[in-house]
Amino acid sequence: MDKQTHTKFNLNNFLMAFSSALDNTVDNNKNDVKYSSKALAYIALKLANHLKISASLQSDIFSYCIIGKNETFLKNIGYMPFNNKDFENNQECSICINIATYIIDNIKTYNNTIINDIELKNIIKTNATINDNIKNAFEEISNIESFWFDIMSNQLGFLIFEMLEDFTIEINFDDLIQFTAIVHDSIYHFTNRSYEQDCIDFKAYGIANLFEFEAKDKARFIIASHLINIGYLFMPLEIVNKKDILHHTEYQILKQVPYYTNYILQQIYGFSDIANLCYFVYEKINASGYPNKLSGSSLSLKHRALGIINMYQAMSEDRSYRDKLSKEEIFSILENDANNNFIDISVVNSLKKIL
């Protein structure tokens, strides 16, 4: 493997790390039970395992279950690095996912316990569109009480990985950049924000080229630009899109964005450098930033550059509380911040060269 152009990547690991964040983009079910993609995946995998569906297809079932209710991922399903290109056309896989989806959409709970399990079992049993083999398999797994307890367990991640085999692949950085762009789009869709297509990519590419980053460092820098604000998926939308000035408590809540971003990315194999870049994006060279109040000596060129790109990106977009700023207005603000020792003037000047 050429480490300048490729990296190790495990889609199941990546999506497991993102699952709780992506779940926040989905509404509660009709009985007001919080959505859980891991619970959906667990049900589908238990059924697939009982039906002796291949390990590679089970891996794809898990991946699909995590993103299956996210509109942005579904629109870009062709960029998902599934193990099997024809996965979506596999009838048994589709039925496993559909049964799991029906259960998740209809469960009722009390005290973190599913209370309509008998009703759900009977509905599956009498469904004329499901063949007897799959019905019998579901009956066998659903007659065991622990199956229903597991669905509500906070140990679902461990239970799922016990069922999955390792399908780590060597992925081209260009493909990984394209894939992580879907995450970037999902964040914008959830927060109801608009942006110019590929503009974050353009700035990240431009800075990486200007400073002559090595190929792998350039790729990681661009991937980091896509993933900077994953933490917004944990933020209350009424605060994210508030039109008035934020109160202290609300601002403190939003300051958790890089903390949650780092929490997610540190769980992904091979993403520690990317996590580090994203975690420090709101730090300032005079130690007035957050969440760790780091000073310039702790912030590399990449940290400083990514932070400034993020600032420019935010100011170039419409917000609920203001219209987007012009290029001239943005650079006036950035230069003022540099003069006050918040950010690096050399990076500001470099960004000017590529815009």
Side-chain angles (χ1 to χ4, degrees), residues 108-161:
K108 298 177 183 178
T109 63
Y110 174 74
N111 196 33
N112 205 43
T113 303
I114 296 172
I115 58 175
N116 62 332
D117 53 316
I118 295 175
E119 174 190 348
L120 294 172
K121 285 194 290 186
N122 286 335
I123 290 171
I124 301 299
K125 185 176 182 179
T126 56
N127 189 317
T129 66
I130 303 174
N131 68 50
D132 289 341
N133 185 43
I134 294 176
K135 283 182 182 179
N136 292 336
F138 179 75
E139 185 174 12
E140 286 187 36
I141 63 174
S142 63
N143 279 340
I144 301 171
E145 281 82 358
S146 62
F147 168 76
W148 300 96
F149 301 157
D150 287 343
I151 294 171
M152 302 303 295
S153 169
N154 59 9
Q155 300 296 313
L156 268 176
F158 297 105
L159 296 173
I160 288 169
F161 276 135

Side-chain angles (χ1 to χ4, degrees), residues 15-31:
L15 292 176
M16 179 67 84
F18 269 84
S19 60
S20 56
L22 293 177
D23 288 354
N24 291 331
T25 69
V26 183
D27 293 334
N28 293 354
N29 79 0
K30 64 182 183 181
N31 299 311

Side-chain angles (χ1 to χ4, degrees), residues 166-215:
D166 183 358
F167 285 93
T168 298
I169 62 172
E170 294 178 5
I171 190 170
N172 184 292
F173 274 124
D174 289 339
D175 292 336
L176 189 54
I177 287 170
Q178 201 165 33
F179 173 65
T180 56
I182 304 173
V183 180
H184 175 259
D185 290 352
S186 183
I187 297 165
Y188 274 80
H189 182 79
F190 174 69
T191 55
N192 298 312
R193 295 178 172 183
S194 60
Y195 68 97
E196 297 176 20
Q197 187 67 33
D198 295 333
C199 57
I200 192 81
D201 285 5
F202 176 77
K203 298 177 189 69
Y205 270 108
I207 287 293
N209 286 331
L210 191 65
F211 287 112
E212 298 181 342
F213 292 169
E214 288 189 355

Side-chain angles (χ1 to χ4, degrees), residues 46-63:
K46 287 290 284 188
L47 190 52
N49 189 267
H50 203 82
L51 292 168
K52 294 182 169 47
I53 291 174
S54 72
S56 66
L57 282 171
Q58 288 189 46
S59 172
D60 290 339
I61 286 173
F62 170 79
S63 295

